[in-house]
Amino acid sequence: MHTQAKASLGLNWINRFAQLGENFFTRLRPTPLPDVRWVSCNHGLALEMGLPPDWINRPGVLEGLSGCAQIAGSDTLASVYSGHQFGHWAGQLGDGRAIYLGEAQTDLGNLEIQLKGAGLTPYSRSGDGRAVLRSSIREYLCSEAMHALGIPTTRALCLTGSRGIVYREEVERAAVVTRVSPSFIRFGHFEHFAAKGDTASLRTLADFVITHYTHLLEESEELEAFENEALRTQITQNPYALMLYRVTRKTAKLMALWQCVGFCHGVMNTDNMSILGLTLDYGPFQFMDAFVPDHICNHTDQGGRYAYDQQPNVAYWNLYCLGQALLPLIGDKDLSVECLDIYKVLYPSFKQEIVLRKLGLSKLHSIPTDVAQELIGKLEKVMSLQEVDFTIFWRTLSTALSHFSEKNPGTNTLTTHSAEFKEINALFSNTRAQSAWHEWFAEYLKLISSGSEDLAEISGMMLDANPKFVLRNHLGEAAIKSAQRGDFSEVQILLKILSTPFDEHPEFQSYADTPPDWASSITISCSS
Ligand code: AMP
Ligand code: MG
């Protein structure tokens, strides 16, 4: 039951989205769950936000963040959006189980706070408005893991559980994730009003994004990708074209970041694409174990539309949907296409920049683009020939160079068969991969030696660019199994490790190992 007294999070609420007008959302109350309890609190995020230290102990906060009581200052609502799902227009969707509490001023800037799994909304369609503990743990942990990896994402403040039951393939426990983000506006919000021919609302929404989030979308020297000066001027003078370009740029960067940690989203429908270029809506995602470029992480995605190597193209396709929706505002088809097609320049250049950083090849090495592209292409080929573990490969390469520099201070002559490279060489055990690996490795070591930087510095950079820990499916699964038995300690351990994924954490070495055999039987689908 909703209690009368409102819980306070000690925040100042501004709720700007709630002022947009009622054709953007429906006001409602969350539906309470029985016997709610904390599963995990993200104290690190709470501290960053500047929440009062006693926030979790304040009366009514547990209930408030589980949808069972009101939080002072909140203005609860569900927003309406539409979207393309698996390549087809799906019509109206909307927040079917996420309820906006409001937007608060925090030390991280203004943040919207949402309760995912807090009950039915007018947009629930055939769903029950709930989220299961299993998928809520995955979202809670993964969003923090992504943040710690330096990848733009929505975040999670806490996770609460309940004795309430929900029905999926089997009976499961309900949970609520408290998500935070500067905004949860999706491509699908724009598609919704465009499809209805409601240009006034479309403009209101675009103006809202431009007014409130330009500081998050713009970047210095951002139009440099366009060689044509006249085109740059044209874009600058059209606020909606400029917004589309900025979203394109943010999305291109996000895709490059995902690819470089082996992240597969699993359901890149346009309603799951953030207008701010954030990773949004964690469902059947996966960090790849073995490097298989066409790996499909979502068992519902039988055609592989959202396979790992398809993601950058899908993002471009999704951006076209956004561009189409914004066309009535931009008013110039050619200009829209220019703002979208620059993706083909931006994405590969972001990816190259990140991969070179992972390889320890900084600007000082001044590697020409064609050499870099060839080096990266060959490496991906070798990695796929071996189907080497993605995260272990990159981390082992970094530690190999680090060990070499420790043992051979000042030496710049590196040969593939040095004792310190035993471990990395051993990763390429199959005969087809072995010779290709040695050829690539020799070429790479030559490039590394050609720079003026010290090897210790280079390997230090690499250890900061290649995480030791990612949320592998089997790690999440173990935490889920314990949590389903009422033991949340594994969630806490994972939160700690994944919040500092570049640290060694020697006591948690096994969390960095290849998956056990049973991991191959884990199936992750859209069911959540
Ligand atoms: P997703 O693929 O999880 O991003 O969800 C697509 C649409 O289905 C969105 O409108 C969601 O709000 C809605 N949805 C997903 N699961 C549920 C649920 N259990 N209850 C109500 N709506 C849901
Ligand atoms: Mg979604």
Side-chain angles (χ1 to χ4, degrees):
M1 285 294 107
H2 284 281
T3 52
Q4 287 306 307
K6 292 183 186 175
S8 169
L9 275 173
L11 291 168
N12 187 33
W13 297 77
I14 52 174
N15 306 348
R16 292 178 298 185
F17 189 86
Q19 290 150 29
L20 269 178
E22 304 242 335
N23 51 340
F24 293 88
F25 53 75
T26 302
R27 283 206 164 79
L28 45 69
R29 287 279 181 86
T31 311
L33 280 163
D35 296 330
V36 291
R37 62 192 292 196
W38 295 113
V39 172
S40 179
C41 290
N42 186 348
H43 295 291
L45 175 57
L47 201 66
E48 287 176 58
M49 287 170 67
L51 286 182
D54 67 340
W55 70 281
I56 53 163
N57 297 319
R58 290 187 168 207
V61 165
L62 165 64
E63 292 74 17
L65 295 180
S66 309
C68 304
Q70 266 185 281
I71 298 271
S74 66
D75 187 356
T76 45
L77 57 86
S79 77
V80 63
Y81 54 81
S82 295
H84 282 84
Q85 297 187 316
F86 289 89
H88 302 283
W89 176 243
Q92 181 175 306
L93 300 164
D95 295 325
R97 55 174 167 174
I99 295 180
Y100 165 101
L101 276 188
E103 181 186 15
Q105 291 174 321
T106 81
D107 292 353
L108 291 174
N110 299 326
L111 288 176
E112 290 186 354
I113 305 184
Q114 249 193 14
L115 303 182
K116 184 170 177 180
L120 287 171
T121 80
Y123 316 113
S124 298
R125 298 176 296 148
S126 58
D128 56 5
R130 295 300 181 197
V132 297
L133 180 62
R134 162 177 57 85
S135 62
S136 303
I137 289 175
R138 283 168 52 83
E139 166 142 16
Y140 176 76
L141 290 175
C142 196
S143 58
E144 280 310 292
M146 293 294 260
H147 173 72
L149 292 169
I151 301 177
T153 177
T154 63
R155 297 185 67 183
L157 178 63
C158 59
L159 173 58
T160 61
S162 156
R163 287 170 60 83
I165 275 170
V166 285
Y167 298 93
R168 296 293 182 262
E169 281 83 4
E170 47 194 41
V171 174
E172 297 194 47
R173 293 280 179 207
V176 175
V177 186
T178 299
R179 306 199 284 196
V180 304
S181 173
S183 169
F184 288 93
I185 295 178
R186 302 146 191 270
F187 290 10
H189 280 98
F190 292 91
E191 290 179 277
H192 180 73
F193 296 107
K196 293 203 333 175
D198 182 355
T199 307
S201 298
L202 184 69
R203 190 181 303 278
T204 303
L205 189 65
D207 289 344
F208 183 83
V209 168
I210 291 167
T211 306
H212 298 310
Y213 306 119
T214 290
H215 67 291
L216 299 175
L217 282 171
E218 71 187 347
E219 289 179 15
S220 57
E221 299 174 50
E222 62 181 351
L223 287 163
E224 83 220 348
F226 294 104
E227 282 166 11
N228 182 335
E229 182 71 45
L231 182 58
R232 276 200 282 226
T233 311
Q234 236 187 320
I235 295 172
T236 317
Q237 288 171 349
N238 184 322
Y240 305 110
L242 186 56
M243 177 183 126
L244 178 61
Y245 163 67
R246 284 172 169 159
V247 179
T248 301
R249 188 183 167 98
K250 285 284 182 200
T251 307
K253 192 171 272 184
L254 184 69
M255 290 308 115
L257 286 163
W258 282 4
Q259 292 282 291
C260 292
V261 291
F263 179 78
C264 310
H265 182 284
V267 210
M268 287 178 65
N269 294 332
T270 56
D271 55 301
N272 290 337
M273 298 290 293
S274 151
I275 202 72
L276 299 182
L278 309 173
T279 313
L280 172 65
D281 281 8
Y282 291 83
F285 69 82
Q286 187 184 11
F287 285 91
M288 256 198 298
D289 296 308
F291 183 66
V292 178
D294 58 358
H295 177 68
I296 304 166
C297 67
N298 176 359
H299 280 73
T300 318
D301 179 18
Q302 279 161 357
R305 180 180 172 83
Y306 300 136
Y308 169 79
D309 61 1
Q310 294 306 307
Q311 294 184 140
N313 288 336
V314 169
Y316 178 59
W317 191 93
N318 289 345
L319 283 162
Y320 255 82
C321 294
L322 177 66
Q324 185 71 38
L326 290 175
L327 199 52
L329 305 181
I330 297 173
D332 180 335
K333 196 168 169 210
D334 293 341
L335 188 61
S336 302
V337 169
E338 295 283 0
C339 293
L340 293 164
D341 278 2
I342 198 70
Y343 183 89
K344 292 186 219 158
V345 175
L346 293 172
Y347 168 71
S349 90
F350 286 139
K351 183 181 165 194
Q352 180 181 312
E353 189 184 318
I354 302 167
V355 180
L356 288 183
R357 198 181 321 133
K358 286 169 81 73
L359 287 168
L361 296 165
S362 71
K363 292 218 162 63
L364 289 177
H365 287 91
S366 29
I367 310 233
T369 296
D370 53 337
V371 176
Q373 289 297 331
E374 204 185 318
L375 184 77
I376 295 168
K378 277 191 190 164
L379 173 60
E380 285 173 350
K381 180 89 191 128
V382 181
M383 288 173 73
S384 66
L385 277 177
Q386 176 66 42
E387 300 195 353
V388 67
D389 184 276
F390 189 88
T391 309
I392 290 180
F393 166 74
W394 284 105
R395 188 69 182 187
T396 310
L397 185 66
S398 316
T399 46
L401 292 192
S402 167
H403 291 158
F404 185 92
S405 77
E406 277 166 24
K407 294 269 167 58
N408 310 279
T411 312
N412 241 7
T413 324
L414 302 110
T415 54
T416 59
H417 287 95
S418 301
E420 293 77 18
F421 300 152
K422 209 171 144 195
E423 211 184 323
I424 186 84
N425 286 329
L427 292 181
F428 295 88
S429 55
N430 88 35
T431 27
R432 279 180 68 210
Q434 234 167 26
S435 59
W437 162 252
H438 283 288
E439 192 185 310
W440 181 88
F441 195 34
E443 214 174 293
Y444 164 69
L445 290 178
K446 219 186 311 165
L447 282 174
I448 280 282
S449 324
S450 71
S452 52
E453 263 167 305
D454 185 56
L455 197 54
E457 220 172 293
I458 291 173
S459 59
M461 266 174 20
M462 291 172 71
L463 288 166
D464 288 342
N466 296 299
K468 179 166 176 178
F469 302 96
V470 292
L471 181 56
R472 294 172 186 269
N473 267 353
H474 76 276
L475 298 176
E477 195 65 14
I480 289 163
K481 286 278 174 315
S482 311
Q484 286 169 336
R485 291 191 301 266
D487 174 3
F488 306 134
S489 56
E490 201 54 37
V491 173
Q492 250 1 83
I493 291 175
L494 282 178
L495 183 65
K496 176 183 153 173
I497 303 172
L498 296 170
S499 300
T500 42
F502 299 100
D503 291 356
E504 279 298 323
H505 297 292
E507 70 279 30
F508 294 114
Q509 182 58 40
S510 63
Y511 290 70
D513 290 346
T514 46
D517 289 343
W518 61 264
S520 58
S521 65
I522 302 172
T523 54
I524 307 286
S525 70
C526 281
S527 155
S528 59

